[in-house]
PDB file of all heavy atoms in Angstrom:
ATOM      1  N   ILE A   1       3.558   4.535  10.227  1.00 97.00           N
ATOM      2  CA  ILE A   1       2.263   4.989   9.692  1.00 97.00           C
ATOM      3  C   ILE A   1       1.887   6.369  10.329  1.00 97.00           C
ATOM      4  O   ILE A   1       1.621   7.406   9.591  1.00 97.00           O
ATOM      5  CB  ILE A   1       1.259   3.999   9.638  1.00 97.00           C
ATOM      6  CG1 ILE A   1       1.583   2.811   8.683  1.00 97.00           C
ATOM      7  CG2 ILE A   1      -0.187   4.650   9.267  1.00 97.00           C
ATOM      8  CD1 ILE A   1       0.679   1.708   8.829  1.00 97.00           C
ATOM      9  N   ASN A   2       1.892   6.412  11.662  1.00 96.00           N
ATOM     10  CA  ASN A   2       1.464   7.598  12.372  1.00 96.00           C
ATOM     11  C   ASN A   2       2.289   8.877  12.077  1.00 96.00           C
ATOM     12  O   ASN A   2       1.910  10.067  11.958  1.00 96.00           O
ATOM     13  CB  ASN A   2       1.404   7.208  13.887  1.00 96.00           C
ATOM     14  CG  ASN A   2       0.296   6.425  14.164  1.00 96.00           C
ATOM     15  OD1 ASN A   2      -0.771   6.347  13.576  1.00 96.00           O
ATOM     16  ND2 ASN A   2       0.350   5.656  15.308  1.00 96.00           N
ATOM     17  N   THR A   3       3.614   8.571  12.048  1.00 97.00           N
ATOM     18  CA  THR A   3       4.608   9.678  11.770  1.00 97.00           C
ATOM     19  C   THR A   3       4.930  10.005  10.434  1.00 97.00           C
ATOM     20  O   THR A   3       5.473  11.167  10.204  1.00 97.00           O
ATOM     21  CB  THR A   3       5.894   9.426  12.594  1.00 97.00           C
ATOM     22  OG1 THR A   3       6.444   8.387  12.150  1.00 97.00           O
ATOM     23  CG2 THR A   3       5.610   9.288  14.127  1.00 97.00           C
ATOM     24  N   ALA A   4       4.619   9.302   9.516  1.00 97.00           N
ATOM     25  CA  ALA A   4       4.950   9.581   8.177  1.00 97.00           C
ATOM     26  C   ALA A   4       4.056  10.691   7.520  1.00 97.00           C
ATOM     27  O   ALA A   4       2.907  10.729   7.721  1.00 97.00           O
ATOM     28  CB  ALA A   4       4.765   8.380   7.342  1.00 97.00           C
ATOM     29  N   ARG A   5       4.727  11.432   6.716  1.00 95.00           N
ATOM     30  CA  ARG A   5       3.946  12.460   5.801  1.00 95.00           C
ATOM     31  C   ARG A   5       3.121  11.821   4.728  1.00 95.00           C
ATOM     32  O   ARG A   5       2.086  12.035   4.375  1.00 95.00           O
ATOM     33  CB  ARG A   5       4.863  13.544   5.294  1.00 95.00           C
ATOM     34  CG  ARG A   5       4.153  14.581   4.587  1.00 95.00           C
ATOM     35  CD  ARG A   5       5.144  15.690   4.138  1.00 95.00           C
ATOM     36  NE  ARG A   5       6.050  15.193   3.111  1.00 95.00           N
ATOM     37  CZ  ARG A   5       5.728  15.343   1.838  1.00 95.00           C
ATOM     38  NH1 ARG A   5       4.610  15.803   1.383  1.00 95.00           N
ATOM     39  NH2 ARG A   5       6.705  14.992   0.887  1.00 95.00           N
ATOM     40  N   ILE A   6       3.965  10.789   4.168  1.00 96.00           N
ATOM     41  CA  ILE A   6       3.386  10.040   3.029  1.00 96.00           C
ATOM     42  C   ILE A   6       3.713   8.506   3.405  1.00 96.00           C
ATOM     43  O   ILE A   6       4.746   8.185   3.727  1.00 96.00           O
ATOM     44  CB  ILE A   6       4.078  10.313   1.664  1.00 96.00           C
ATOM     45  CG1 ILE A   6       3.935  11.767   1.368  1.00 96.00           C
ATOM     46  CG2 ILE A   6       3.633   9.397   0.525  1.00 96.00           C
ATOM     47  CD1 ILE A   6       4.561  12.200   0.096  1.00 96.00           C
ATOM     48  N   VAL A   7       2.666   7.651   3.182  1.00 97.00           N
ATOM     49  CA  VAL A   7       2.900   6.169   3.229  1.00 97.00           C
ATOM     50  C   VAL A   7       2.697   5.488   1.806  1.00 97.00           C
ATOM     51  O   VAL A   7       1.644   5.699   1.305  1.00 97.00           O
ATOM     52  CB  VAL A   7       1.989   5.537   4.280  1.00 97.00           C
ATOM     53  CG1 VAL A   7       2.079   4.089   4.285  1.00 97.00           C
ATOM     54  CG2 VAL A   7       2.050   6.236   5.743  1.00 97.00           C
ATOM     55  N   ILE A   8       3.802   4.821   1.331  1.00 98.00           N
ATOM     56  CA  ILE A   8       3.648   4.068   0.152  1.00 98.00           C
ATOM     57  C   ILE A   8       3.667   2.612   0.501  1.00 98.00           C
ATOM     58  O   ILE A   8       4.464   2.149   1.229  1.00 98.00           O
ATOM     59  CB  ILE A   8       4.945   4.492  -0.731  1.00 98.00           C
ATOM     60  CG1 ILE A   8       5.082   5.951  -1.066  1.00 98.00           C
ATOM     61  CG2 ILE A   8       4.910   3.485  -2.019  1.00 98.00           C
ATOM     62  CD1 ILE A   8       6.266   6.450  -1.542  1.00 98.00           C
ATOM     63  N   THR A   9       2.684   1.996  -0.053  1.00 97.00           N
ATOM     64  CA  THR A   9       2.424   0.533   0.342  1.00 97.00           C
ATOM     65  C   THR A   9       2.075  -0.221  -1.012  1.00 97.00           C
ATOM     66  O   THR A   9       1.745   0.233  -1.973  1.00 97.00           O
ATOM     67  CB  THR A   9       1.322   0.323   1.319  1.00 97.00           C
ATOM     68  OG1 THR A   9       1.047  -0.881   1.716  1.00 97.00           O
ATOM     69  CG2 THR A   9      -0.078   0.982   0.808  1.00 97.00           C
ATOM     70  N   HIS A  10       2.348  -1.651  -0.722  1.00 96.00           N
ATOM     71  CA  HIS A  10       1.906  -2.569  -1.681  1.00 96.00           C
ATOM     72  C   HIS A  10       0.305  -2.612  -1.809  1.00 96.00           C
ATOM     73  O   HIS A  10      -0.303  -1.948  -1.054  1.00 96.00           O
ATOM     74  CB  HIS A  10       2.501  -3.909  -1.586  1.00 96.00           C
ATOM     75  CG  HIS A  10       2.059  -4.543  -0.213  1.00 96.00           C
ATOM     76  ND1 HIS A  10       1.185  -5.544  -0.153  1.00 96.00           N
ATOM     77  CD2 HIS A  10       2.354  -4.187   1.079  1.00 96.00           C
ATOM     78  CE1 HIS A  10       0.998  -5.919   1.096  1.00 96.00           C
ATOM     79  NE2 HIS A  10       1.619  -5.173   1.873  1.00 96.00           N
ATOM     80  N   GLY A  11      -0.242  -3.496  -2.698  1.00 94.00           N
ATOM     81  CA  GLY A  11      -1.716  -3.314  -2.879  1.00 94.00           C
ATOM     82  C   GLY A  11      -2.308  -4.530  -1.932  1.00 94.00           C
ATOM     83  O   GLY A  11      -3.567  -4.834  -2.190  1.00 94.00           O
ATOM     84  N   GLY A  12      -1.711  -4.986  -0.885  1.00 91.00           N
ATOM     85  CA  GLY A  12      -2.356  -5.874  -0.041  1.00 91.00           C
ATOM     86  C   GLY A  12      -3.464  -5.059   0.880  1.00 91.00           C
ATOM     87  O   GLY A  12      -3.096  -3.966   1.392  1.00 91.00           O
ATOM     88  N   PRO A  13      -4.573  -5.540   0.987  1.00 88.00           N
ATOM     89  CA  PRO A  13      -5.677  -4.843   1.746  1.00 88.00           C
ATOM     90  C   PRO A  13      -5.320  -4.410   3.069  1.00 88.00           C
ATOM     91  O   PRO A  13      -5.564  -3.351   3.541  1.00 88.00           O
ATOM     92  CB  PRO A  13      -6.790  -5.688   1.678  1.00 88.00           C
ATOM     93  CG  PRO A  13      -6.552  -6.911   0.832  1.00 88.00           C
ATOM     94  CD  PRO A  13      -5.143  -6.801   0.500  1.00 88.00           C
ATOM     95  N   ALA A  14      -4.713  -5.299   3.873  1.00 87.00           N
ATOM     96  CA  ALA A  14      -4.367  -4.913   5.286  1.00 87.00           C
ATOM     97  C   ALA A  14      -3.601  -3.780   5.309  1.00 87.00           C
ATOM     98  O   ALA A  14      -3.594  -2.845   6.161  1.00 87.00           O
ATOM     99  CB  ALA A  14      -3.768  -6.196   5.982  1.00 87.00           C
ATOM    100  N   SER A  15      -2.500  -3.716   4.411  1.00 89.00           N
ATOM    101  CA  SER A  15      -1.533  -2.552   4.458  1.00 89.00           C
ATOM    102  C   SER A  15      -2.098  -1.198   4.209  1.00 89.00           C
ATOM    103  O   SER A  15      -2.123  -0.215   4.875  1.00 89.00           O
ATOM    104  CB  SER A  15      -0.387  -2.855   3.586  1.00 89.00           C
ATOM    105  OG  SER A  15       0.478  -3.845   3.970  1.00 89.00           O
ATOM    106  N   PHE A  16      -2.751  -1.099   3.039  1.00 87.00           N
ATOM    107  CA  PHE A  16      -3.383   0.193   2.586  1.00 87.00           C
ATOM    108  C   PHE A  16      -4.636   0.582   3.350  1.00 87.00           C
ATOM    109  O   PHE A  16      -4.889   1.864   3.584  1.00 87.00           O
ATOM    110  CB  PHE A  16      -3.211   0.385   1.032  1.00 87.00           C
ATOM    111  CG  PHE A  16      -4.473  -0.102   0.402  1.00 87.00           C
ATOM    112  CD1 PHE A  16      -5.624   0.433   0.240  1.00 87.00           C
ATOM    113  CD2 PHE A  16      -4.144  -1.364  -0.385  1.00 87.00           C
ATOM    114  CE1 PHE A  16      -6.603  -0.298  -0.538  1.00 87.00           C
ATOM    115  CE2 PHE A  16      -5.196  -1.881  -1.130  1.00 87.00           C
ATOM    116  CZ  PHE A  16      -6.423  -1.339  -1.270  1.00 87.00           C
ATOM    117  N   LEU A  17      -5.330  -0.389   3.737  1.00 86.00           N
ATOM    118  CA  LEU A  17      -6.530  -0.038   4.473  1.00 86.00           C
ATOM    119  C   LEU A  17      -6.206   0.465   5.831  1.00 86.00           C
ATOM    120  O   LEU A  17      -6.851   1.318   6.494  1.00 86.00           O
ATOM    121  CB  LEU A  17      -7.496  -1.255   4.580  1.00 86.00           C
ATOM    122  CG  LEU A  17      -8.257  -1.616   3.232  1.00 86.00           C
ATOM    123  CD1 LEU A  17      -9.116  -2.780   3.360  1.00 86.00           C
ATOM    124  CD2 LEU A  17      -8.999  -0.304   2.592  1.00 86.00           C
ATOM    125  N   SER A  18      -5.042  -0.013   6.494  1.00 89.00           N
ATOM    126  CA  SER A  18      -4.734   0.436   7.913  1.00 89.00           C
ATOM    127  C   SER A  18      -4.160   1.903   7.678  1.00 89.00           C
ATOM    128  O   SER A  18      -4.269   2.631   8.745  1.00 89.00           O
ATOM    129  CB  SER A  18      -3.523  -0.493   8.309  1.00 89.00           C
ATOM    130  OG  SER A  18      -2.337  -0.371   7.731  1.00 89.00           O
ATOM    131  N   VAL A  19      -3.707   2.338   6.572  1.00 92.00           N
ATOM    132  CA  VAL A  19      -3.256   3.701   6.452  1.00 92.00           C
ATOM    133  C   VAL A  19      -4.564   4.536   6.226  1.00 92.00           C
ATOM    134  O   VAL A  19      -4.685   5.613   6.929  1.00 92.00           O
ATOM    135  CB  VAL A  19      -2.442   3.837   5.114  1.00 92.00           C
ATOM    136  CG1 VAL A  19      -2.085   5.358   4.889  1.00 92.00           C
ATOM    137  CG2 VAL A  19      -1.174   3.034   5.302  1.00 92.00           C
ATOM    138  N   LEU A  20      -5.630   4.167   5.579  1.00 89.00           N
ATOM    139  CA  LEU A  20      -6.763   4.800   5.317  1.00 89.00           C
ATOM    140  C   LEU A  20      -7.587   4.979   6.763  1.00 89.00           C
ATOM    141  O   LEU A  20      -8.161   6.017   6.986  1.00 89.00           O
ATOM    142  CB  LEU A  20      -7.760   4.051   4.447  1.00 89.00           C
ATOM    143  CG  LEU A  20      -7.407   4.143   2.880  1.00 89.00           C
ATOM    144  CD1 LEU A  20      -8.191   3.244   2.171  1.00 89.00           C
ATOM    145  CD2 LEU A  20      -7.435   5.510   2.576  1.00 89.00           C
ATOM    146  N   GLU A  21      -7.373   3.965   7.637  1.00 88.00           N
ATOM    147  CA  GLU A  21      -8.063   4.083   8.995  1.00 88.00           C
ATOM    148  C   GLU A  21      -7.402   5.331   9.724  1.00 88.00           C
ATOM    149  O   GLU A  21      -8.096   5.805  10.612  1.00 88.00           O
ATOM    150  CB  GLU A  21      -7.749   2.782   9.749  1.00 88.00           C
ATOM    151  CG  GLU A  21      -8.554   1.497   9.181  1.00 88.00           C
ATOM    152  CD  GLU A  21      -8.244   0.296  10.004  1.00 88.00           C
ATOM    153  OE1 GLU A  21      -7.195   0.274  10.838  1.00 88.00           O
ATOM    154  OE2 GLU A  21      -8.944  -0.679   9.901  1.00 88.00           O
ATOM    155  N   LYS A  22      -6.243   5.561   9.375  1.00 90.00           N
ATOM    156  CA  LYS A  22      -5.548   6.742  10.164  1.00 90.00           C
ATOM    157  C   LYS A  22      -5.907   8.113   9.474  1.00 90.00           C
ATOM    158  O   LYS A  22      -5.240   9.139   9.754  1.00 90.00           O
ATOM    159  CB  LYS A  22      -4.066   6.536  10.133  1.00 90.00           C
ATOM    160  CG  LYS A  22      -3.676   5.190  10.809  1.00 90.00           C
ATOM    161  CD  LYS A  22      -2.922   5.339  12.001  1.00 90.00           C
ATOM    162  CE  LYS A  22      -2.479   3.978  12.387  1.00 90.00           C
ATOM    163  NZ  LYS A  22      -2.916   3.721  13.855  1.00 90.00           N
ATOM    164  N   LYS A  23      -6.918   7.994   8.483  1.00 87.00           N
ATOM    165  CA  LYS A  23      -7.244   9.172   7.731  1.00 87.00           C
ATOM    166  C   LYS A  23      -6.035   9.853   6.926  1.00 87.00           C
ATOM    167  O   LYS A  23      -5.976  10.850   6.730  1.00 87.00           O
ATOM    168  CB  LYS A  23      -7.921  10.321   8.698  1.00 87.00           C
ATOM    169  CG  LYS A  23      -9.141   9.714   9.415  1.00 87.00           C
ATOM    170  CD  LYS A  23     -10.068  10.741   9.856  1.00 87.00           C
ATOM    171  CE  LYS A  23     -11.423  10.278  10.552  1.00 87.00           C
ATOM    172  NZ  LYS A  23     -11.911   9.127  10.138  1.00 87.00           N
ATOM    173  N   LYS A  24      -5.314   8.929   6.419  1.00 92.00           N
ATOM    174  CA  LYS A  24      -4.107   9.273   5.538  1.00 92.00           C
ATOM    175  C   LYS A  24      -4.401   8.688   4.285  1.00 92.00           C
ATOM    176  O   LYS A  24      -4.870   7.664   4.091  1.00 92.00           O
ATOM    177  CB  LYS A  24      -2.814   8.874   6.093  1.00 92.00           C
ATOM    178  CG  LYS A  24      -2.377   9.553   7.378  1.00 92.00           C
ATOM    179  CD  LYS A  24      -0.902   9.218   7.712  1.00 92.00           C
ATOM    180  CE  LYS A  24      -0.490   9.958   8.973  1.00 92.00           C
ATOM    181  NZ  LYS A  24       0.887   9.747   9.039  1.00 92.00           N
ATOM    182  N   ILE A  25      -3.972   9.305   3.145  1.00 93.00           N
ATOM    183  CA  ILE A  25      -4.254   8.873   1.912  1.00 93.00           C
ATOM    184  C   ILE A  25      -2.972   8.106   1.437  1.00 93.00           C
ATOM    185  O   ILE A  25      -1.929   8.863   1.147  1.00 93.00           O
ATOM    186  CB  ILE A  25      -4.584   9.962   0.880  1.00 93.00           C
ATOM    187  CG1 ILE A  25      -5.968  10.514   1.374  1.00 93.00           C
ATOM    188  CG2 ILE A  25      -4.650   9.429  -0.526  1.00 93.00           C
ATOM    189  CD1 ILE A  25      -6.412  11.760   0.580  1.00 93.00           C
ATOM    190  N   PRO A  26      -2.862   6.800   1.240  1.00 95.00           N
ATOM    191  CA  PRO A  26      -1.673   6.057   0.884  1.00 95.00           C
ATOM    192  C   PRO A  26      -1.503   6.141  -0.694  1.00 95.00           C
ATOM    193  O   PRO A  26      -2.401   6.422  -1.418  1.00 95.00           O
ATOM    194  CB  PRO A  26      -1.890   4.575   1.328  1.00 95.00           C
ATOM    195  CG  PRO A  26      -3.486   4.523   1.116  1.00 95.00           C
ATOM    196  CD  PRO A  26      -3.998   5.847   1.560  1.00 95.00           C
ATOM    197  N   ILE A  27      -0.170   5.989  -0.992  1.00 96.00           N
ATOM    198  CA  ILE A  27       0.181   5.764  -2.418  1.00 96.00           C
ATOM    199  C   ILE A  27       0.344   4.184  -2.539  1.00 96.00           C
ATOM    200  O   ILE A  27       1.073   3.690  -1.698  1.00 96.00           O
ATOM    201  CB  ILE A  27       1.384   6.452  -2.722  1.00 96.00           C
ATOM    202  CG1 ILE A  27       1.177   8.136  -2.659  1.00 96.00           C
ATOM    203  CG2 ILE A  27       1.957   6.066  -4.158  1.00 96.00           C
ATOM    204  CD1 ILE A  27       2.530   8.881  -2.909  1.00 96.00           C
ATOM    205  N   VAL A  28      -0.538   3.652  -3.355  1.00 97.00           N
ATOM    206  CA  VAL A  28      -0.469   2.142  -3.498  1.00 97.00           C
ATOM    207  C   VAL A  28       0.165   1.769  -4.819  1.00 97.00           C
ATOM    208  O   VAL A  28      -0.298   2.175  -5.848  1.00 97.00           O
ATOM    209  CB  VAL A  28      -1.881   1.691  -3.385  1.00 97.00           C
ATOM    210  CG1 VAL A  28      -1.951   0.151  -3.508  1.00 97.00           C
ATOM    211  CG2 VAL A  28      -2.573   2.153  -2.129  1.00 97.00           C
ATOM    212  N   VAL A  29       1.160   0.749  -4.678  1.00 98.00           N
ATOM    213  CA  VAL A  29       1.816   0.274  -5.904  1.00 98.00           C
ATOM    214  C   VAL A  29       1.638  -1.148  -5.713  1.00 98.00           C
ATOM    215  O   VAL A  29       2.256  -1.839  -4.925  1.00 98.00           O
ATOM    216  CB  VAL A  29       3.346   0.566  -5.844  1.00 98.00           C
ATOM    217  CG1 VAL A  29       4.079   0.027  -7.085  1.00 98.00           C
ATOM    218  CG2 VAL A  29       3.577   2.131  -5.599  1.00 98.00           C
ATOM    219  N   PRO A  30       0.640  -1.737  -6.396  1.00 97.00           N
ATOM    220  CA  PRO A  30       0.263  -3.232  -6.420  1.00 97.00           C
ATOM    221  C   PRO A  30       1.514  -4.095  -6.915  1.00 97.00           C
ATOM    222  O   PRO A  30       2.308  -3.677  -7.796  1.00 97.00           O
ATOM    223  CB  PRO A  30      -0.828  -3.289  -7.382  1.00 97.00           C
ATOM    224  CG  PRO A  30      -1.373  -2.016  -7.491  1.00 97.00           C
ATOM    225  CD  PRO A  30      -0.257  -1.050  -7.377  1.00 97.00           C
ATOM    226  N   ARG A  31       1.713  -5.202  -6.276  1.00 96.00           N
ATOM    227  CA  ARG A  31       2.833  -6.131  -6.709  1.00 96.00           C
ATOM    228  C   ARG A  31       2.089  -6.807  -8.034  1.00 96.00           C
ATOM    229  O   ARG A  31       0.948  -6.966  -8.064  1.00 96.00           O
ATOM    230  CB  ARG A  31       2.856  -7.261  -5.680  1.00 96.00           C
ATOM    231  CG  ARG A  31       3.670  -6.799  -4.436  1.00 96.00           C
ATOM    232  CD  ARG A  31       3.561  -7.948  -3.322  1.00 96.00           C
ATOM    233  NE  ARG A  31       4.394  -7.737  -2.181  1.00 96.00           N
ATOM    234  CZ  ARG A  31       5.638  -8.155  -2.127  1.00 96.00           C
ATOM    235  NH1 ARG A  31       6.199  -8.914  -3.132  1.00 96.00           N
ATOM    236  NH2 ARG A  31       6.315  -7.929  -0.969  1.00 96.00           N
ATOM    237  N   ARG A  32       3.007  -7.166  -8.918  1.00 96.00           N
ATOM    238  CA  ARG A  32       2.597  -7.748 -10.098  1.00 96.00           C
ATOM    239  C   ARG A  32       3.209  -9.066 -10.510  1.00 96.00           C
ATOM    240  O   ARG A  32       4.392  -9.237 -10.189  1.00 96.00           O
ATOM    241  CB  ARG A  32       2.936  -6.677 -11.418  1.00 96.00           C
ATOM    242  CG  ARG A  32       2.359  -5.275 -11.165  1.00 96.00           C
ATOM    243  CD  ARG A  32       0.773  -5.205 -11.497  1.00 96.00           C
ATOM    244  NE  ARG A  32       0.416  -5.861 -12.599  1.00 96.00           N
ATOM    245  CZ  ARG A  32       0.398  -5.308 -13.818  1.00 96.00           C
ATOM    246  NH1 ARG A  32       0.691  -4.019 -13.943  1.00 96.00           N
ATOM    247  NH2 ARG A  32      -0.039  -6.014 -14.865  1.00 96.00           N
ATOM    248  N   LEU A  33       2.419  -9.896 -11.146  1.00 93.00           N
ATOM    249  CA  LEU A  33       2.859 -11.258 -11.565  1.00 93.00           C
ATOM    250  C   LEU A  33       4.114 -11.149 -12.562  1.00 93.00           C
ATOM    251  O   LEU A  33       5.115 -11.706 -12.480  1.00 93.00           O
ATOM    252  CB  LEU A  33       1.816 -11.942 -12.178  1.00 93.00           C
ATOM    253  CG  LEU A  33       2.124 -13.282 -12.960  1.00 93.00           C
ATOM    254  CD1 LEU A  33       2.758 -14.301 -11.895  1.00 93.00           C
ATOM    255  CD2 LEU A  33       0.903 -13.800 -13.630  1.00 93.00           C
ATOM    256  N   CYS A  34       4.001 -10.089 -13.507  1.00 95.00           N
ATOM    257  CA  CYS A  34       4.976  -9.989 -14.608  1.00 95.00           C
ATOM    258  C   CYS A  34       6.404  -9.643 -14.165  1.00 95.00           C
ATOM    259  O   CYS A  34       7.344  -9.851 -14.838  1.00 95.00           O
ATOM    260  CB  CYS A  34       4.498  -9.103 -15.588  1.00 95.00           C
ATOM    261  SG  CYS A  34       4.266  -7.393 -15.122  1.00 95.00           S
ATOM    262  N   TYR A  35       6.465  -9.191 -12.964  1.00 92.00           N
ATOM    263  CA  TYR A  35       7.796  -8.789 -12.365  1.00 92.00           C
ATOM    264  C   TYR A  35       8.189  -9.871 -11.276  1.00 92.00           C
ATOM    265  O   TYR A  35       9.227  -9.534 -10.563  1.00 92.00           O
ATOM    266  CB  TYR A  35       7.753  -7.415 -11.666  1.00 92.00           C
ATOM    267  CG  TYR A  35       7.338  -6.311 -12.704  1.00 92.00           C
ATOM    268  CD1 TYR A  35       6.162  -5.635 -12.723  1.00 92.00           C
ATOM    269  CD2 TYR A  35       8.203  -5.887 -13.768  1.00 92.00           C
ATOM    270  CE1 TYR A  35       5.831  -4.660 -13.482  1.00 92.00           C
ATOM    271  CE2 TYR A  35       8.008  -5.033 -14.633  1.00 92.00           C
ATOM    272  CZ  TYR A  35       6.734  -4.309 -14.536  1.00 92.00           C
ATOM    273  OH  TYR A  35       6.413  -3.323 -15.433  1.00 92.00           O
ATOM    274  N   GLY A  36       7.505 -10.902 -11.198  1.00 92.00           N
ATOM    275  CA  GLY A  36       7.808 -11.836 -10.085  1.00 92.00           C
ATOM    276  C   GLY A  36       7.456 -11.451  -8.883  1.00 92.00           C
ATOM    277  O   GLY A  36       8.291 -11.989  -7.840  1.00 92.00           O
ATOM    278  N   GLU A  37       6.602 -10.617  -8.501  1.00 95.00           N
ATOM    279  CA  GLU A  37       6.348 -10.091  -7.285  1.00 95.00           C
ATOM    280  C   GLU A  37       5.238 -10.735  -6.499  1.00 95.00           C
ATOM    281  O   GLU A  37       5.030 -10.510  -5.320  1.00 95.00           O
ATOM    282  CB  GLU A  37       6.024  -8.489  -7.335  1.00 95.00           C
ATOM    283  CG  GLU A  37       7.141  -7.689  -8.025  1.00 95.00           C
ATOM    284  CD  GLU A  37       6.740  -6.453  -8.471  1.00 95.00           C
ATOM    285  OE1 GLU A  37       5.491  -6.132  -8.719  1.00 95.00           O
ATOM    286  OE2 GLU A  37       7.670  -5.689  -8.849  1.00 95.00           O
ATOM    287  N   HIS A  38       4.361 -11.529  -7.229  1.00 94.00           N
ATOM    288  CA  HIS A  38       3.289 -12.220  -6.625  1.00 94.00           C
ATOM    289  C   HIS A  38       2.917 -13.280  -7.588  1.00 94.00           C
ATOM    290  O   HIS A  38       3.421 -13.408  -8.759  1.00 94.00           O
ATOM    291  CB  HIS A  38       2.069 -11.266  -6.351  1.00 94.00           C
ATOM    292  CG  HIS A  38       1.498 -11.559  -4.908  1.00 94.00           C
ATOM    293  ND1 HIS A  38       1.113 -12.755  -4.672  1.00 94.00           N
ATOM    294  CD2 HIS A  38       1.283 -10.735  -3.936  1.00 94.00           C
ATOM    295  CE1 HIS A  38       0.550 -12.767  -3.471  1.00 94.00           C
ATOM    296  NE2 HIS A  38       0.623 -11.560  -2.986  1.00 94.00           N
ATOM    297  N   VAL A  39       1.961 -14.122  -7.144  1.00 93.00           N
ATOM    298  CA  VAL A  39       1.551 -15.411  -7.934  1.00 93.00           C
ATOM    299  C   VAL A  39       0.604 -14.988  -8.967  1.00 93.00           C
ATOM    300  O   VAL A  39       0.272 -15.858 -10.016  1.00 93.00           O
ATOM    301  CB  VAL A  39       0.995 -16.482  -6.957  1.00 93.00           C
ATOM    302  CG1 VAL A  39       2.023 -16.942  -6.032  1.00 93.00           C
ATOM    303  CG2 VAL A  39      -0.241 -16.001  -6.300  1.00 93.00           C
ATOM    304  N   ASN A  40      -0.005 -13.719  -8.926  1.00 93.00           N
ATOM    305  CA  ASN A  40      -0.929 -13.307  -9.898  1.00 93.00           C
ATOM    306  C   ASN A  40      -1.088 -11.890  -9.718  1.00 93.00           C
ATOM    307  O   ASN A  40      -0.415 -11.191  -8.938  1.00 93.00           O
ATOM    308  CB  ASN A  40      -2.352 -14.011  -9.839  1.00 93.00           C
ATOM    309  CG  ASN A  40      -2.984 -13.916  -8.548  1.00 93.00           C
ATOM    310  OD1 ASN A  40      -2.905 -12.898  -7.810  1.00 93.00           O
ATOM    311  ND2 ASN A  40      -3.757 -14.910  -8.121  1.00 93.00           N
TER     312      ASN A  40
END
């Protein structure tokens, strides 16, 4: 996260909020039920 120019993360709060804490703007791609990526 520290060395990346861009961080792309799933929509889990811990992941993208940890990027925001570093004053970086993440690209967030939420996991979706319709693709079998999460339970909802």
Side-chain angles (χ1 to χ4, degrees):
I1 292 170
N2 286 335
T3 60
R5 182 175 75 85
I6 298 174
V7 179
I8 301 168
T9 180
H10 62 105
S15 290
F16 75 83
L17 292 175
S18 68
V19 178
L20 288 169
E21 285 176 352
K22 306 242 186 238
K23 299 198 180 334
K24 292 187 176 190
I25 298 174
I27 297 175
V28 177
V29 184
R31 289 173 172 268
R32 300 290 308 275
L33 171 64
C34 62
Y35 301 111
E37 299 162 349
H38 221 306
V39 298
N40 58 31

